[in-house]
Every structure is written in C-alpha cells, then in structure tokens.
Amino acid sequence: MSWATLTLMDIDCGRTTGLNEDCEVIVSADHSEYQAGGNVAVTFGEDGAATFKDMIVSGAENNPHNIILNGEQKALAVALSFENTDHFTLDMLNDAGYPRTFLVAGITNIQWPNMEPPPIKLIPQTVPPTPWPTPAPVSTLFPTPSPTCPFTAVSGSCVVTCTCVSSPNYPQNYAANDACVIGVARPTPLITKDFSTEAFWDTLQVNGKSFSGTDGPENVVAEGTISWKADKQDQDKGWQICASIPETAPIPAPPTPTITVQTTEPCESSGALCVQSPNYPLNYGDYQTCSIRLPAGTLHVDEFFTEKLYDTLTVDGVSFSGQTGPDGVEVSASSVIVWSSDWGTTHTGWRMCAEPPATTTAPTEEVLNRPRSVPLMFDLPSVTNEHPWLLMLCGITGIVGGLGILGCVLKGCGAVTHFEDGSSSESN
C-alpha cells in the first residue's frame, strides 16, 4: 500500500508499577513517522525501533468513545504513519499482573487536527406503528339507545316485559279490583297496541292523566311511573302498551381505502406502488431515516447498493444492506419498513416496488375436462457404429390445467414419436 495511518490510544496503567516493570508498552520499527502525546514516553533501540510507554496511572474514565479526542486523550495517544509497505508489526508488552487493553483506531483528529465532530444523530422517538391504511372514522347517525329496559314492575300483577306492558290476564278480561304500578326508566314515547276498559272506573294513569274506555295513551311520553286500577264491577279485556324505540339507521361501511405507498421524508414515492431512497439514483445522505408502508404483496427490488452492515433497510425486523435487498419478500399492509443511514460512506441506495398478490380464476369446464395424461410411444433405433451414442433427456416441464407435459430431447440418433391420435414425428 502507498500509505496508511493509525492511532494507538489510552497508553496508561491502572496502578503504580515498579521501576523495572512495564505496564503498557508498544514497540514499532516499520513506521515512517510518529506523533506522541505528552504523557507517552518515547525511547529508541539500537535497531531504530521506537518504544512507546505509559507514564501515568489512570482507569477507564478517559477511554475515547469516538474519533474526536480531547486534550487528555491526545496526551495518552501515538499516531503512526506507514509508507510503501504491505505489512507492519507492532509488539505490545504488558508486565502487569492483569490484562490490559490497547485501543487502536484507523483515523482520529491527531492525524487531522481540523477534523470536525460529526453531527449528532437524532434518533426518532419510537412510537407504536400507525395502522395502515388508516380506518375512516365511523360516525353514529343517531344516539345509541340505552341498554336499560324502559319498563320495570314495581308492584301488582300487570305483565311487564322489557319494552311492553299489559293488564293482568291480557288478552282475557282482567279481574275485579286489579291494580299495579310500573316503573319507567327514562322518558319513553308510548304506543297503544290495544285498549278496552270500563270507562271512567277502570283507569290507567300516565303522567297524572287518566285513560279509560278505548282511549289509550297513544304517543304520550311517559315519565316516572304508570298506574293501573280497576273497580269491582264490569271487567273488560284490558290493554297493552309498548315503548316507541327509534330504529337505528345502519352505519354505512367506510370507503375502501386507495392502495398507495406511504413514506416519511426523506424517502420518496416513485409511482403508485414503488418507493426509493433519498436522492436516488444519486447517493443518499448521512444520518437519514424514514418509515415506509406498502400495500400487501411481494417486494421487487430494481437496484440495491448501500454501505454493508451500517446503512440498512429493515423489513419486519430483518435488515438488508450492501447489495442484498429484500427482493421476493412478502409484506402485508401492517408491515413496518425502516430505512436508516449512518455517518460516512454513502452509495446510490435502492428502489423497490410492491406487486399485489395475483388473483386466481376458477378453471373453465374445458380445462377441467382435459385428459390427465397423454400416452407417448417412442421408436428408438439400436445403437450402431453409425449412431455410436444416444442421449435422451426427458422431464416434466409444466402443469397446465392438471395436465403434465412430458418433454423429451433425442440427440445423436433418429427417433420416431407416435401419439395417441395416430400422428408421429421424427427427431434427429
């Protein structure tokens, strides 16, 4: 290689060592240049090899976390440059009674002091996926009736059901001195189904008004209680009244949503069923992320080229990167697809489309009545000097309407094929 550079970091010791003990020592003879921090001791051997040794006691609190080193971390680091070599060797020594770790980076701001820190990657807040397509809101056209029955029996022998009430023994005559009280749960319009009592003496009271004879409480909105009382003479068949409950209009079905692509920026829709990475077919950018929803179907990838392992397209938890995209992956309307790139290398990205599931049609009667097999007969000549070899390749090449098609190839000889209808063909 023409040149290479690397940084050795965190050259320190976790405890005080003896005069002749080495804690973290690195020896390099193949480098062409070096830069050493102020807290790294540098000595040279007779063979010209440079030895870099720790000078301070420190724990893990100053370990670097990225390529931008602070002043303390630079003082414990060494930058090495290599030119015109295809290999190099580093000797790393440790006389401490416990393992020590050397940190090595291919690039830091020691080699490039003007290096700016990369922008902070903003990770979007994780929220539950929104159902897609979003269901249309359902509006109730009429108030929903209370589940409580409008009528309840309080006392007496009147016949009470949930929505209707009748005099005792209805439709037969009620008895002398019958009486009852019926509770009304809420203001309820009444419908008189039948009404026949002794006028003036056998009465039904609704909202403080008395009804008798053939005049029932039609369309009266009852509240509180309903009372019935008969005297001891002239009984009739009585009455039946019911609650008028408005019919609830059927709720119209929500409109069928249009199947389209949904994506957040910066990813882009490309046609009705396709989506592509930002700026495609040019390179996408750093620290880009987006969420994608596609209609149910099979993914077909036109192109896929990202930084392997770091710039990923994730489909239902499975990540794809490099030049391996989600071609042929099945997705549903609820599948979650996320694109994410990091800082650094970028490529042209990707473009993919969702092909809806194929609709199948029932086979026609003609197809169903086709024969399931076709007898084939072959006349094969004997192998002679004129035809020293015979190669016959046969195989099932497809299924059409339940019919297996047997395809054969005959090479190097003459062969006659006879069909069931009496025709034949010759192959060479």
Side-chain angles (χ1 to χ4, degrees):
M1 54 187 171
S2 298
W3 65 276
T5 181
L6 59 85
T7 300
L8 308 174
M9 298 174 289
D10 193 33
I11 304 176
D12 58 8
C13 194
R15 64 173 178 84
T16 303
T17 59
L19 181 64
N20 296 321
E21 287 184 319
D22 293 327
C23 188
E24 288 190 357
V25 179
I26 305 167
V27 180
S28 173
D30 299 325
H31 62 272
S32 54
E33 295 181 9
Y34 77 90
Q35 291 176 273
N39 287 329
V40 178
V42 183
T43 59
F44 296 92
E46 296 180 359
D47 57 354
T51 299
F52 307 100
K53 185 178 183 300
D54 63 277
M55 294 175 58
I56 66 170
V57 176
S58 177
E61 64 274 5
N62 57 8
N63 286 359
H65 298 287
N66 56 53
I67 61 175
I68 307 299
L69 307 183
N70 59 32
E72 181 182 7
Q73 293 165 346
K74 286 183 179 181
L76 300 175
V78 173
L80 299 177
S81 298
F82 303 89
E83 295 182 2
N84 300 318
T85 181
D86 59 359
H87 70 280
F88 59 86
T89 302
L90 297 177
D91 293 327
M92 299 183 178
L93 310 177
N94 172 22
D95 288 344
Y98 49 88
R100 295 296 296 166
T101 301
F102 296 92
L103 303 180
V104 180
I107 179 175
T108 70
N109 57 346
I110 282 190
Q111 296 99 319
W112 285 269
N114 296 326
M115 180 184 297
E116 295 294 333
I120 298 175
K121 183 174 183 179
L122 298 178
I123 301 176
Q125 183 178 4
T126 302
V127 296
T130 303
W132 185 85
T134 304
V138 178
S139 58
T140 304
L141 302 182
F142 294 94
T144 303
S146 169
T148 306
C149 291
F151 299 131
T152 57
V154 177
S155 64
S157 54
C158 289
V159 179
V160 179
T161 64
C162 181
T163 57
C164 291
V165 60
S166 58
S167 55
N169 205 38
Y170 177 87
Q172 306 300 320
N173 287 11
Y174 49 84
N177 299 317
D178 263 344
C180 73
V181 177
I182 301 136
V184 182
R186 60 181 181 275
T188 303
L190 301 180
I191 300 174
T192 301
K193 298 289 188 179
D194 195 7
F195 203 92
S196 181
T197 72
E198 182 187 10
F200 302 112
W201 303 106
D202 300 340
T203 61
L204 184 71
Q205 276 204 346
V206 181
N207 297 344
K209 182 179 179 181
S210 296
F211 297 88
S212 63
T214 58
D215 183 18
E218 181 71 15
N219 294 327
V220 175
V221 179
E223 297 184 57
T225 60
I226 299 173
S227 300
W228 160 250
K229 183 173 177 57
D231 67 3
K232 61 182 179 180
Q233 295 179 345
D234 298 327
Q235 291 79 38
D236 211 329
K237 76 172 184 176
W239 46 266
Q240 183 185 44
I241 58 177
C242 295
S244 175
I245 300 177
E247 294 183 1
T248 303
I251 299 175
T256 303
T258 303
I259 300 177
T260 57
V261 172
Q262 290 187 348
T263 180
T264 59
E265 294 183 351
C267 293
E268 306 164 354
S269 298
S270 176
L273 300 176
C274 299
V275 65
Q276 62 192 33
S277 56
N279 207 37
Y280 178 85
L282 302 179
N283 284 21
Y284 51 82
D286 296 328
Y287 292 120
Q288 291 182 328
T289 182
C290 68
S291 298
I292 303 163
R293 292 295 177 92
L294 294 172
T298 304
L299 295 182
H300 291 284
V301 177
D302 294 338
E303 184 176 0
F304 199 93
F305 188 21
T306 73
E307 183 185 12
K308 189 174 181 64
L309 301 180
Y310 297 102
D311 300 341
T312 61
L313 184 69
T314 304
V315 181
D316 288 335
V318 180
S319 295
F320 300 86
S321 64
Q323 294 183 337
T324 302
D327 194 49
V329 172
E330 299 289 337
V331 295
S332 65
S334 61
S335 291
V336 179
I337 304 174
V338 178
W339 160 249
S340 177
S341 64
D342 70 351
W343 177 83
T345 304
T346 63
H347 293 294
T348 54
W350 45 268
R351 183 180 186 272
M352 64 182 180
C353 302
E355 180 179 327
T359 57
T360 59
T361 57
T364 63
E365 184 174 352
E366 178 184 358
V367 172
L368 293 175
N369 291 332
R370 287 179 180 173
R372 297 303 180 188
S373 63
V374 177
L376 299 178
M377 296 175 291
F378 297 92
D379 289 340
L380 302 179
S382 60
V383 178
T384 64
N385 292 334
E386 185 179 356
H387 301 288
W389 53 272
L390 170 65
L391 176 61
M392 178 178 178
L393 302 177
C394 300
I396 298 295
T397 60
I399 301 295
V400 180
L403 173 62
I405 301 176
L406 179 65
C408 297
V409 179
L410 303 177
K411 298 294 292 182
C413 66
V416 179
T417 305
H418 296 277
F419 297 95
E420 191 176 32
D421 60 2
S423 61
S424 63
S425 63
E426 183 172 353
S427 319
N428 291 314

